[in-house]
Amino acid sequence: MIFRSKSTEETMMIAKELAEELKPGSVLGLKGNLGTGKTQFVKGICKYFDVKEVVNSPTFILVNEYTGTDNEGKKFSIYHFDLYRLNSAAELSVIGFDEYINKNSIVLIEWPELAEEYLGREIETVRFDYGDGDEERVIEVN
Ligand SMILES: Nc1ncnc2c1ncn2[C@@H]1O[C@H](COP(=O)(O)OP(=O)(O)O)[C@@H](O)[C@H]1O
Ligand SMILES: [Mg+2]
């Protein structure tokens, strides 16, 4: 499905709809150039799960951890990776990447290409691109 978002708010709304399908154990990749709205989308997912922490791209530390709450009030971790600055897939073993992927947590990964290489499989992915003008973004959910 292809969405044409006209604002940051609309991008967050699209994210919230997709968040309904996520649950602990889900891993979602977010692909697309800088500024296409990946982090904004993560904010929308986190809003759906009532995250209280500030959601920002973890550019220097690779991963942020937030606490999400499901609709039954159960708490779980959301791990938000940004692998833009990662140089090689092997570095993921250094940070113990495998342990983040588990049935109790949702994992959201900006720039997931090296994670796919590391895991040896494709991750379910949302693709982001620029659209017309400053504020349009094209968001493709498969
Ligand atoms: N329709 C839109 N959806 C998402 N972000 C938008 C949109 N229009 C403008 N923007 C702006 O684009 C930037 C997207 O930044 P960000 O989400 O950090 O991108 P990324 O994580 O892909 O690098 C923000 O400054 C946001 O305000
Ligand atoms: Mg980002």
Side-chain angles (χ1 to χ4, degrees), residues 5-12 32-41 57 82 110-111 128 130 134-137 139:
S5 162
K6 304 281 189 199
S7 67
T8 53
E9 293 74 26
E10 204 180 327
T11 292
M12 286 181 71
N33 272 325
L34 284 176
T36 49
K38 300 182 294 300
T39 300
Q40 207 61 46
F41 196 86
S57 237
D82 186 329
E110 299 188 41
W111 302 95
F128 296 79
Y130 295 108
D134 286 347
E135 291 231 57
E136 190 177 81
R137 299 290 186 274
I139 302 171

